[in-house]
Amino acid sequence: MSGEESIAERRKAAVSEAVAEIREIEAHRGVSRESLTSVKEVLLELAAKRELFPEEDFPSASGEPLLYLLSEENDHRFALYLSTGLPGRSSPPHNHTTWAVIAGIDGEEENRVYERLDDGSVPGKGQVKVREKFVVKRGTGICFMPDDIHSIHVVSDVPTRNFHMYGRSVEHLPERIKFDIDEGSYAVYPASPGIRK
């Protein structure tokens, strides 16, 4: 067995073990900030095995941000991605409509968490403001409930590489929305075109 095959097999086993643990956490404890903190701890343990996720297997984004799909159930649940982003990358404020956990591997990604100011009663209108900021980097992570709103901003001078774990895959979240702060509006936020399977 070659070294490359060995890393691939070890990676597959580590990912499978982590996803199984996360599935058990949700099954027994449901979805709450407390249970998602436990999910984060599992992902941080996986992220510590950096040698299983080398740059040559998961090249950093060269244009569009990239999401490498590592695992997904047949019903599109428990989707785990390795996400990369170049310095300067950012996203608009958005929700997920499912739970999400981000764990840092390399680089620094500032997550801005928002408070929605309006009551959501007017379709297409939505006002948000920053409530807090948190930098995801090696050894740290952040959790989001389905209605939480955040944006990401690569603040390091090297690309970011993070795990993004979702209760349902981003390709199957048709009601996810993004906010335009200047316009006070929101629109459907489609999945990134840069997803690699």
Side-chain angles (χ1 to χ4, degrees), residues 1-11 57:
M1 180 179 290
S2 73
E4 286 183 35
E5 290 172 330
S6 177
I7 288 176
E9 288 300 314
R10 288 168 55 208
R11 177 168 62 236
D57 289 351

Side-chain angles (χ1 to χ4, degrees), residues 5-97:
E5 290 172 330
S6 177
I7 288 176
E9 288 300 314
R10 288 168 55 208
R11 177 168 62 236
K12 182 178 179 181
V15 166
S16 295
E17 181 180 343
V19 172
E21 285 187 57
I22 290 166
R23 195 186 305 114
E24 286 295 305
I25 290 169
E26 194 201 73
H28 290 100
R29 297 169 55 191
V31 177
S32 66
R33 297 200 187 277
E34 182 181 2
S35 65
L36 292 183
T37 297
S38 296
V39 170
K40 179 182 71 175
E41 294 305 317
V42 174
L43 288 181
L44 288 174
E45 287 182 21
L46 185 62
K49 300 172 182 176
R50 297 171 65 248
E51 72 282 0
L52 300 183
F53 304 91
E55 173 73 21
E56 54 265 31
D57 289 351
F58 302 96
S60 301
S62 59
E64 286 287 328
L66 296 177
L67 284 173
Y68 294 94
L69 181 63
L70 300 175
S71 181
E72 179 184 8
E73 306 285 295
N74 289 334
D75 59 0
H76 309 300
R77 302 221 49 233
F78 302 104
L80 175 62
Y81 303 84
L82 190 150
S83 172
T84 71
L86 290 176
R89 172 199 175 188
S90 66
S91 75
H94 61 277
N95 67 0
H96 295 116
T97 69

Side-chain angles (χ1 to χ4, degrees), residues 12 18 30 56 59 67 71-72 77 81 111 114 126 128 132 140 149-150 162 172 174 182-184 186 188 192:
K12 182 178 179 181
E56 54 265 31
L67 284 173
S71 181
E72 179 184 8
R77 302 221 49 233
Y81 303 84
N111 276 253
Y114 295 80
V128 295
E132 61 182 292
T140 69
I149 301 165
H150 82 129
N162 300 322
H172 297 88
D182 294 333
E183 296 292 330
Y186 70 84
V188 170
S192 165

Side-chain angles (χ1 to χ4, degrees), residues 112-124:
R112 298 175 188 169
V113 184
Y114 295 80
E115 175 184 353
R116 187 164 182 175
L117 302 177
D118 65 295
D119 62 6
S121 62
V122 180

Side-chain angles (χ1 to χ4, degrees), residues 145-191:
M145 294 291 283
D147 292 333
D148 287 344
I149 301 165
H150 82 129
S151 62
I152 58 177
H153 309 266
V154 177
V155 295
S156 56
D157 57 5
V158 297
T160 54
R161 291 157 49 79
N162 300 322
F163 288 132
H164 284 221
M165 180 90 195
Y166 298 92
R168 188 170 180 82
S169 70
V170 293
E171 302 97 312
H172 297 88
L173 300 176
E175 298 179 3
R176 188 173 70 148
I177 59 174
K178 61 180 178 180
F179 292 84
D180 185 317
I181 294 177
D182 294 333
E183 296 292 330
S185 62
Y186 70 84
V188 170
Y189 192 25

